[in-house]
Amino acid sequence: MKLETCPLCHATATVFCTKPKHLFYKCSQCDGIFRPKHTYFDRETEKQHYEQHENDVNDLGYQNFVRPIVEAIITDFTTAHKGLDFGSGTGPVIAKLLTEKGYSVVNYDLFFENIPERLTQQYDFISCCEVMEHFHHPLLEFELLHSLLLPHGKLYCKTEVYRNQTPFEDWYYKNDLTHVFLYQEATLHWLQKKVPFKKVEIRDKIIVFEK
């Protein structure tokens, strides 16, 4: 049986899915589900893939998609607090919606708004919408996000968590070739303890880590 090393916790992982174009392994320690590194897109191909996304900040469907994060931030923080949208992509809709409510939010994206100095500051809240499944080095990325939060700050993530809701081979979320690391609830709890965050709350629509 072919083994791989988990990119999150570095434990041993075994084959989990062998569907054509969708080879995945599952970690024996953190339960993370991931593609082997030799199947990753190179950086330019990955950028071209994201450029094909239709992320119009004025599209009501797109706004409704991110609204669970926006509403959670508005509930937990005031306009006196400052935030970061990490992985804002080609259409930074979260920053738009929060700015319209009087919040101060800046964007950072590896491909489309790569402004390194924004990663040298700290924030009260960070949004990370449909980003964490793209992390090539998930532990390093979460450690970075933790370091960017002020004490008692919160990280709001949106991704699809695999809960055996369908056979993995048939799960639509795995089909995006840039979705290289997928999470189960046990994976999120492992992350919370390892990084460490004070706590993690796994809600229906979003995941909230608190520093």
Side-chain angles (χ1 to χ4, degrees), residues 26 31-33 161-162 164 182-189:
K26 183 163 79 75
D31 268 359
I33 302 170
V161 177
Y162 185 60
N164 295 304
L182 303 172
Y183 303 77
Q184 300 192 80
E185 291 196 11
T187 320
L188 299 171
H189 287 295

Side-chain angles (χ1 to χ4, degrees), residues 122-124 126 145-151 153-155 211:
Q122 286 188 303
Y123 304 89
D124 298 290
I126 299 174
L145 290 165
H146 182 272
S147 73
L148 296 177
L149 283 172
L150 289 162
K154 291 186 178 183
L155 167 64
K211 185 169 180 177

Side-chain angles (χ1 to χ4, degrees), residues 21-75:
K21 293 186 179 180
H22 300 297
L23 172 62
F24 281 88
Y25 288 77
K26 183 163 79 75
C27 180
S28 59
Q29 176 169 267
C30 72
D31 268 359
I33 302 170
F34 61 92
R35 297 180 186 273
K37 291 181 180 178
H38 75 268
T39 66
Y40 291 5
F41 285 173
D42 60 53
R43 182 163 174 165
E44 185 56 36
T45 304
E46 188 174 0
K47 180 181 180 183
Q48 291 171 0
H49 177 84
Y50 299 143
E51 287 173 335
Q52 296 172 6
H53 291 182
E54 296 181 5
N55 294 339
D56 180 356
V57 297
N58 296 308
D59 180 79
L60 292 179
Y62 187 29
Q63 292 182 10
N64 287 333
F65 180 73
V66 305
R67 202 168 297 280
I69 285 182
V70 173
E71 291 178 348
I73 290 171
I74 291 173
T75 298

Side-chain angles (χ1 to χ4, degrees), residues 8-9 139 143 188-197:
L8 175 60
C9 72
L139 182 57
E143 288 176 338
L188 299 171
H189 287 295
W190 186 93
L191 257 173
Q192 178 261 316
K193 293 174 183 176
K194 176 66 176 179
V195 172
F197 289 96

Side-chain angles (χ1 to χ4, degrees), residues 83-100:
L84 169 71
D85 185 15
F86 185 87
S88 49
T90 56
V93 66
I94 291 176
K96 169 186 167 59
L97 296 176
L98 287 171
T99 299
E100 289 175 349

Side-chain angles (χ1 to χ4, degrees), residues 11 23 136 144 174 176 205:
L23 172 62
H136 290 189
L144 170 63
K174 75 170 193 327
D176 186 325
K205 301 282 188 181

Side-chain angles (χ1 to χ4, degrees), residues 72-83:
I73 290 171
I74 291 173
T75 298
D76 294 341
F77 294 95
T78 72
T79 55
H81 297 104
K82 61 179 183 177

